[in-house]
Amino acid sequence: MTHRNPNNIFIQGAISPSQIGKDIAAHQGKTRIGGHSIFLGQVRADEMQGQTVRAIEYTAYEAMALDKMHQIREAIFSKYSLVCLHVYHSLGIVASGEICLFVFSSSVHRKDAIMATEEIVNNIKSSLPIWGKEIFTNDEYQWKK
Amino acid sequence: MTHRNPNNIFIQGAISPSQIGKDIAAHQGKTRIGGHSIFLGQVRADEMQGQTVRAIEYTAYEAMALDKMHQIREAIFSKYSLVCLHVYHSLGIVASGEICLFVFSSSVHRKDAIMATEEIVNNIKSSLPIWGKEIFTNDEYQWKK
Amino acid sequence: MSVLEVLVFGQLTDSIGKDRIHFSYVQDTELFRKALNESFPGLRDKTFLLAVNQELVLKKKILKPGDTLALLPPFSGG
Amino acid sequence: MSVLEVLVFGQLTDSIGKDRIHFSYVQDTELFRKALNESFPGLRDKTFLLAVNQELVLKKKILKPGDTLALLPPFSGG
């Protein structure tokens, strides 16, 4: 299994659903794949103290996050039999209802992709130095917990 | 058995990636959702006895499958906290590399959607009366196991 | 005329050559399996479940005239 | 002049008012935490990890002049 170079996972702003559709379509030539497991994180319009979250602004320690993501990829590829793996995380403003995280694992048999995606999402949340600032409709904010 | 108007999960031919993108986009107004978990089944170009699978032709006992799918949905909604759940399965010819199964669960917190999708996929494979006929490049076939 | 409608699926359509047949009424699913094997000896070494009116039947079940049976080889959807 | 570069992230940017500061060189991470708390008393009740040159540091670590430190409050990506 060849490992890819650590790609930049960060994109500015929301991840577009039509791009997700295109990324799925781009895998139709890989006819060893039997299953894709996708996780999408979407910004919730949570209500707190009478205010509603209208967006989350993401910042990251980018160099450290990419290095850590590379380690996560290596560990996942050595643990599961994957054909490919793509991860995208937003930076900057993502409005409520928009997508901020896209994890996309593909494998010959479904189990590997399903388990890989779940584990990667958990690792991203616990281990990547990324912070979300919840911005309310009145432009006040609080740091996401 | 009361008929509770189960939704039709079946679509003729392959499931298109651009439609998947549109289905994802259609959830951006549901701002309670924090995570989507998607599984896609893709037809593999498996090689057997010197032949390559060029397509799978799916048939089903449709009425029974829809009734069973309705039971699966009810059980999943009572077990997990989901905002919504969509399932599509192809009937007829799906070429290698194309998508034949689309399971799409959405929840406030990611765990529910992830566990629901995995369980639904397992249930679909084990419990729905659907059969795949693997058609080789020389037009011979074998029934999928 | 009392009949049972029988739907045939998957690889069993190859064994039987049709996807729908009619059988004279018999009283229960065990008698039905016996009659089916007599009519289609090629089914003897096949694994399949029966459904009666869309419900899987794992034990002996009494049949009514007009019931719809289905012959269900192992599922392979997804 | 021997300095340590310090990157500040998340809610700590509110406490410190900047996302990058410079500190006079100290020999190890425990001395650094002490100096940091003296300069920014508001950090005393904050939870955060230190990274040195992009590596998380959970125990005391010797520092070299020119090292890049980062103050990392609990992550909240995804």
Side-chain angles (χ1 to χ4, degrees):
Chain A
M1 174 67 31
T2 51
H3 290 212
R4 298 176 168 205
N5 292 329
N7 292 320
N8 186 6
I9 65 168
F10 291 115
I11 65 168
Q12 280 298 319
I15 296 161
S16 94
S18 69
Q19 185 59 49
I20 295 167
K22 284 177 193 161
D23 285 358
I24 293 166
H27 287 71
Q28 301 211 319
K30 297 192 176 182
T31 55
R32 288 176 57 226
I33 293 172
H36 305 285
S37 176
I38 292 173
F39 179 82
L40 303 174
Q42 184 167 300
V43 172
R44 289 196 309 268
D46 280 351
E47 290 181 35
M48 280 170 276
Q49 296 135 19
Q51 289 294 321
T52 303
V53 173
R54 68 165 172 81
I56 293 181
E57 182 176 13
Y58 287 102
T59 50
Y61 186 1
E62 293 186 45
M64 184 177 166
L66 296 183
D67 193 58
K68 184 71 193 165
M69 189 65 226
H70 182 67
Q71 294 168 31
I72 293 170
R73 283 184 71 92
E74 297 276 306
I76 288 286
F77 268 99
S78 68
K79 188 166 174 184
Y80 301 107
S81 179
L82 295 183
V83 178
C84 49
L85 167 60
H86 306 279
V87 173
Y88 300 96
H89 196 295
S90 295
L91 288 182
I93 297 281
V94 181
S96 302
E98 291 187 320
I99 291 165
C100 57
L101 173 61
F102 175 24
V103 176
F104 184 8
S105 307
S106 308
S107 56
V108 177
H109 300 290
R110 73 183 184 281
K111 210 78 194 165
D112 290 283
I114 289 172
M115 294 180 73
T117 291
E118 180 174 9
E119 195 166 318
I120 292 160
V121 173
N122 290 342
N123 283 338
I124 287 171
K125 299 219 175 210
S126 67
S127 307
L128 291 197
I130 302 174
W131 296 272
K133 188 177 181 174
E134 294 170 319
I135 302 169
F136 298 106
T137 39
N138 67 354
D139 288 343
E140 289 184 5
Y141 68 86
Q142 73 173 24
W143 291 91
K144 192 171 164 238
K145 288 191 178 63
Chain B
M1 169 72 26
T2 50
H3 278 264
R4 290 158 295 192
N5 206 13
N7 291 324
N8 187 8
I9 64 168
F10 291 114
I11 65 167
Q12 280 298 319
I15 296 161
S16 93
S18 69
Q19 186 58 50
I20 294 167
K22 284 176 194 163
D23 285 359
I24 294 166
H27 287 72
Q28 302 212 318
K30 296 192 177 184
T31 57
R32 287 177 57 226
I33 293 172
H36 305 285
S37 176
I38 292 173
F39 180 82
L40 303 174
Q42 183 167 300
V43 173
R44 288 196 311 267
D46 280 350
E47 290 181 34
M48 281 170 274
Q49 296 135 20
Q51 289 294 322
T52 304
V53 172
R54 69 164 170 81
I56 292 181
E57 182 177 14
Y58 287 102
T59 50
Y61 187 2
E62 293 185 46
M64 183 176 166
L66 296 182
D67 194 60
K68 183 71 193 165
M69 189 65 227
H70 184 68
Q71 293 169 30
I72 293 170
R73 282 183 71 93
E74 297 277 304
I76 288 287
F77 268 99
S78 68
K79 187 166 175 184
Y80 301 106
S81 179
L82 295 183
V83 177
C84 48
L85 168 59
H86 306 279
V87 173
Y88 300 96
H89 196 295
S90 295
L91 288 182
I93 297 280
V94 182
S96 302
E98 291 186 321
I99 291 164
C100 56
L101 173 62
F102 175 24
V103 176
F104 184 8
S105 307
S106 308
S107 55
V108 178
H109 301 290
R110 74 183 184 280
K111 210 78 193 166
D112 290 283
I114 289 173
M115 294 180 73
T117 291
E118 180 175 9
E119 194 166 318
I120 292 160
V121 173
N122 290 342
N123 283 337
I124 286 171
K125 299 220 175 211
S126 67
S127 307
L128 291 198
I130 302 174
W131 296 273
K133 187 178 181 173
E134 294 171 317
I135 301 170
F136 299 105
T137 39
N138 67 353
D139 287 342
E140 290 184 4
Y141 68 86
Q142 74 174 21
W143 290 91
K144 191 171 164 239
K145 289 190 179 60
Chain C
M1 192 179 102
S2 290
V3 295
L4 298 167
E5 183 172 26
V6 182
L7 306 176
V8 185
F9 292 98
Q11 48 270 59
L12 301 183
T13 57
D14 289 348
S15 310
I16 290 178
K18 293 180 177 180
D19 61 8
R20 179 182 293 245
I21 52 182
H22 289 87
F23 250 77
S24 300
Y25 173 73
V26 290
Q27 273 186 301
D28 64 50
T29 49
E30 284 186 9
L31 291 171
F32 172 74
R33 278 216 182 235
K34 201 161 160 246
L36 189 70
N37 280 339
E38 279 163 16
S39 300
F40 301 100
L43 289 183
R44 278 174 215 263
D45 59 347
K46 305 287 183 196
T47 302
F48 60 94
L49 296 173
L50 285 184
V52 177
N53 302 328
Q54 301 178 32
E55 291 285 343
L56 275 188
V57 170
L58 301 176
K59 293 191 240 174
K60 182 164 94 171
K61 185 182 162 71
I62 301 300
L63 296 172
K64 302 183 305 297
D67 276 349
T68 299
L69 285 81
L71 314 186
L72 309 174
F75 306 152
S76 56
Chain D
M1 194 179 102
S2 291
V3 295
L4 298 168
E5 183 171 27
V6 181
L7 306 177
V8 185
F9 292 99
Q11 48 271 58
L12 301 183
T13 58
D14 289 348
S15 311
I16 290 179
K18 294 181 178 181
D19 60 10
R20 178 182 296 245
I21 52 180
H22 290 87
F23 250 76
S24 300
Y25 173 73
V26 291
Q27 274 186 301
D28 64 52
T29 49
E30 285 186 9
L31 290 170
F32 172 75
R33 278 214 183 238
K34 199 163 163 244
L36 189 70
N37 280 339
E38 279 165 16
S39 299
F40 301 99
L43 289 183
R44 277 173 217 261
D45 60 348
K46 304 288 183 194
T47 301
F48 59 95
L49 296 173
L50 284 184
V52 177
N53 303 327
Q54 300 178 32
E55 292 284 342
L56 276 188
V57 170
L58 302 175
K59 294 192 240 175
K60 181 166 98 171
K61 183 181 162 76
I62 301 299
L63 296 172
K64 302 183 307 296
D67 276 348
T68 299
L69 286 81
L71 314 185
L72 309 174
F75 307 153
S76 57

